[in-house]
Amino acid sequence: MKLAASILTVGAIVASLGLALRAGIGPFVLAGVRVASPIGLETVFGCAFVALLFIKPAAKLAATKFAVPLAAALVLIALVYAPNLNDPFLSDDYILAAHATHDPSQLAALFHTPGGDGSFRPLGYVYFGLLRLFFGANSLAWHLVALTLHLANCALLYFIVKRLWNRAEIAVAAALLFGLHGSRPETVVWSAGNFDVLACIFAFAATLCALRRSLVGACAFTALALLSKESAYSTPLLILGLAYAAGRTRELLRPILGSFAVAAVMFVWRWTMFHGPGGYIDPATGQAQVLSFHFGSALKALLLRVWALMLFPVNWEAFTSSIWIAIAIGVAAWALLSAPSPARRISVALLATTVATLMPAYHLALIGPDLNGSRILYLPATAFCILCAHLVHSRRATATAMVLASIIMLRVNLNAWHEDAVLADQVCTGLTTQPPVHDRKGIVFFANGYAECRQLKGK
């Protein structure tokens, strides 16, 4: 009975997500399957709902006690992103769509060959190779996969928080705030930013394994995260910080130490391949940017700027004066200032974890008002969103206000990405004479990929 209830619940969730997609972008085609009428999806949801009514109540309750609030949160997040799913590619997306490989020998070589741009992300390139293999240059499919991974991260965060504090209302608030944070467009909407989404899903899986005291699982998923993107070197710090916030450090010590050990071994491996830390090169010094340490800039980024970016993630270059954004900022400020503070241990631990998980990218963290480079905030926002969930969860009106404010700020940023993608597509196809500039309003335009765009468009 429990298995049947779980299958029916999952089916209902999938159907509701499909309906959200159909409502947001209209009829669509994915992997050769056309979804035109919403009736089929409605029927799946309706049949699952009716069937659940006749399953043993205890089994139904066990399957749905977490599924209903989580499904509602995921549907809301999907609806907010849905208008951007049909957006064309941008910049590096065209390079990936044109050249990402799915040849097994070339993919195998990625695991022992350093990237020419200073990166080592073999699993990330496997991901893009698979996207190209199954979907070609179909931007809708690429965006839909990215959104699915983002929703999976929200769901994993729900289970992490639920396991740490056993409070469903805190867990759903954390999932919503994480999914709707305004810094997300650069990782969810821009396909080339999906490295961070992929690394995060493995980092969260490692965290869940650690919470279940699985040393092997924590180590394995930490390794997968590190093979996806360099930002995942903060995975052990995330696990440690969340465990300390919940007062469970001692009982989870083995998987925490295991995760740190994996990160250390892989860092040595990386150093050996690159003969240094790798990463972007500082043109002024000729060495890796991560070694070009500027004490004042680092402190400003990690101790001051980070809170501005976390609290008000708005692309100020993306819009003129707007009453909606003014309302959103006011509501967010009111919600956070009026909410009762959680235990000091939780506050200190989660604030420290936010800063600690940003440290691997400290040299890129001095992000300006246009949010350019905000993809590095994807994983560090985790602890901060959990802290905000602790702040607002006990007051439904305050929590609702915070979520609405997040939606407004996110939509302002998403609208800018939509306009940028449409204009870039027009430039590529020759429908407008605007030159293929590097970026617009802090959003990538044709920093790269113009030639690949023309090739894919047959120009």
Side-chain angles (χ1 to χ4, degrees):
M1 286 295 184
K2 289 184 178 181
L3 178 60
S6 299
I7 293 173
L8 288 168
T9 302
V10 169
I13 293 173
V14 171
S16 62
L17 290 174
L19 280 172
L21 177 62
R22 172 63 178 78
I25 67 171
F28 62 93
V29 178
L30 183 63
V33 178
R34 178 173 174 79
V35 179
S37 171
I39 296 298
L41 293 170
E42 292 172 350
T43 302
V44 171
F45 185 90
C47 290
F49 168 75
V50 172
L52 283 169
L53 295 176
F54 293 93
I55 289 180
K56 186 177 178 181
K60 179 186 172 184
L61 178 61
T64 59
K65 64 180 179 181
F66 71 85
V68 172
L70 177 57
L74 296 181
V75 168
L76 176 59
I77 295 168
L79 282 171
V80 174
Y81 283 94
N84 290 78
L85 287 172
N86 264 328
D87 288 356
F89 287 133
L90 271 171
S91 191
D92 296 56
D93 295 353
Y94 288 106
I95 298 176
L96 293 167
H99 302 302
T101 180
H102 46 79
D103 179 81
S105 62
Q106 294 185 47
L107 292 177
L110 293 172
F111 287 84
H112 55 79
T113 305
D117 59 352
S119 67
F120 180 63
R121 308 168 184 176
L123 206 56
Y125 287 111
V126 170
Y127 162 77
F128 286 114
L130 292 174
L131 286 181
R132 187 180 178 217
L133 172 64
F134 288 106
F135 305 117
N138 184 337
S139 61
L140 169 61
W142 284 50
H143 292 323
L144 185 56
V145 172
L147 178 57
T148 301
L149 291 180
H150 181 55
L151 295 175
N153 282 330
C154 297
L156 287 171
L157 182 59
Y158 174 95
F159 292 116
I160 288 170
V161 176
K162 182 70 164 58
R163 193 166 188 87
L164 282 170
W165 286 281
N166 197 29
R167 300 284 298 275
E169 64 273 21
I170 298 178
V172 75
L176 276 170
L177 295 175
F178 178 86
L180 297 170
H181 196 265
S183 65
R184 299 305 181 226
E186 202 170 277
T187 49
V188 180
V189 174
W190 187 34
S191 295
N194 290 173
F195 289 105
D196 289 274
V197 182
L198 187 66
C200 185
I201 204 168
F202 291 125
F204 281 176
T207 303
L208 265 179
C209 287
L211 297 181
R212 294 175 176 271
R213 304 180 191 178
S214 171
L215 174 61
V216 174
C219 291
F221 282 115
T222 297
L224 292 174
L226 293 169
L227 291 172
S228 301
K229 193 180 177 184
E230 297 81 356
S231 58
Y233 276 99
S234 61
T235 300
L237 297 170
L238 176 67
I239 299 172
L240 174 61
L242 295 183
Y244 182 79
R248 297 184 57 185
T249 309
R250 180 170 296 183
E251 65 178 277
L252 302 177
L253 190 58
R254 289 183 70 247
I256 291 173
L257 292 178
S259 182
F260 271 103
V262 169
V265 169
M266 293 195 67
F267 183 75
V268 171
W269 182 18
R270 177 186 179 85
W271 191 284
T272 302
M273 285 193 299
F274 284 101
H275 304 289
Y280 297 126
I281 300 298
D282 187 340
T285 63
Q287 64 179 354
Q289 283 185 4
V290 71
L291 297 180
S292 301
F293 181 76
H294 300 287
F295 187 73
S297 297
L299 286 182
K300 182 179 180 180
L302 294 175
L303 300 181
L304 298 178
R305 183 66 57 84
V306 61
W307 312 124
L309 297 169
M310 291 296 172
L311 288 167
F312 304 111
V314 178
N315 182 350
W316 292 97
E317 303 295 329
F319 69 99
T320 56
S321 58
S322 169
I323 186 62
W324 291 110
I325 201 67
I327 292 173
I329 291 173
V331 167
W334 165 78
L336 291 172
L337 292 176
S338 66
S341 299
R344 180 168 296 182
R345 177 194 188 97
I346 294 175
S347 297
V348 171
L350 294 177
L351 290 173
T353 303
T354 303
V355 173
T357 49
L358 188 57
M359 286 180 66
Y362 82 91
H363 55 295
L364 304 172
L366 204 57
I367 298 168
D370 59 6
L371 289 187
N372 188 294
S374 57
R375 59 189 176 277
I376 67 170
L377 302 177
Y378 191 84
L379 187 59
T382 301
F384 192 81
C385 290
I386 295 174
L387 174 61
C388 291
H390 276 280
L391 283 168
V392 304
H393 79 278
S394 61
R395 299 183 178 183
R396 290 187 179 180
T398 306
T400 302
M402 189 68 187
V403 169
L404 289 175
S406 298
I407 290 174
I408 293 173
M409 288 187 277
L410 176 59
R411 274 311 320 168
V412 166
N413 299 341
L414 287 172
N415 288 340
W417 278 85
H418 169 73
E419 293 170 5
D420 208 53
V422 170
L423 182 58
D425 187 67
Q426 292 173 349
V427 169
C428 177
T429 54
L431 294 179
T432 178
T433 58
Q434 179 164 332
V437 295
H438 186 280
D439 62 72
R440 295 177 67 255
K441 301 177 181 179
I443 302 171
V444 291
F445 197 69
F446 277 117
N448 299 294
Y450 182 68
E452 287 77 8
C453 178
R454 300 282 292 180
Q455 175 189 341
L456 289 171
K457 300 289 185 181
K459 300 296 181 178

